[in-house]
Amino acid sequence: MEMNKKTISSVLAASVLSLSLGGQLFAAGTGFGDLNGVTGQEKIEALQNDGLVKGVSTTSFNPQAALTNAQGVQLIAGGLQLSLAAITFEAGKVPTAHDLFPAAKEDAWYADAFVNAHFNGVELPESIDPSASMTKEAYTHYLMQALEKAGNLPMINIKPKDIADEDDLTVEYQGSIQRALVRGIVKLDAKGEFHPKAEITRAEAAVMLYDAIEFLRGELA
């Protein structure tokens, strides 16, 4: 068990070297000038200072922009270092992103992330459109699946939290969302609502990833 923890810790440490919010973005410079007043500003700046996130330019993070499916999958797969290292394929042939998801291009900057996520337990729908915006509930679901896989976390019995807009949740995502709430990776708003169908912003996604990595570090300490 101890060896497993060390191995996972090494993977996590390696992951922070390659984390990015999307392809074709610019490396962070001395600081993002558009984070003042943004919720989670300190966490985003901490990720930037450690070289863990990139902006849309050297000085802009564009925090309120909607995260696309391509950026979200790349963020999760890269941040939690999902790979094919432990997976064996028949005749050594690895399916391409386009083989798995017809709307994805096999030579796109996000292609490897889609393949790695798929074979590491992240349940992306076959019909996923890389250019479409990602919802808060979908990002939470994919992030939790990747987190639990990367950390080899056991399933836990939890007391479900009351969610005011629970009727709006996609049924298949409910368990992941409840576990994310219990583990402190996401929070309800002042009215106790989750807003599952809302587009998640780049800032929200980065903050959740920060909290997920911190949670995993705590589990492996």
Side-chain angles (χ1 to χ4, degrees), residues 60-77:
S60 177
F61 184 71
N62 204 8
Q64 302 306 334
L67 191 77
T68 66
N69 285 324
Q71 291 175 344
V73 174
Q74 172 64 40
L75 177 62
I76 293 169

Side-chain angles (χ1 to χ4, degrees), residues 195-210:
H195 304 285
K197 299 300 191 292
E199 295 176 340
I200 190 167
T201 66
R202 287 167 53 83
E204 291 171 331
V207 169
M208 285 180 63
L209 180 66
Y210 176 97

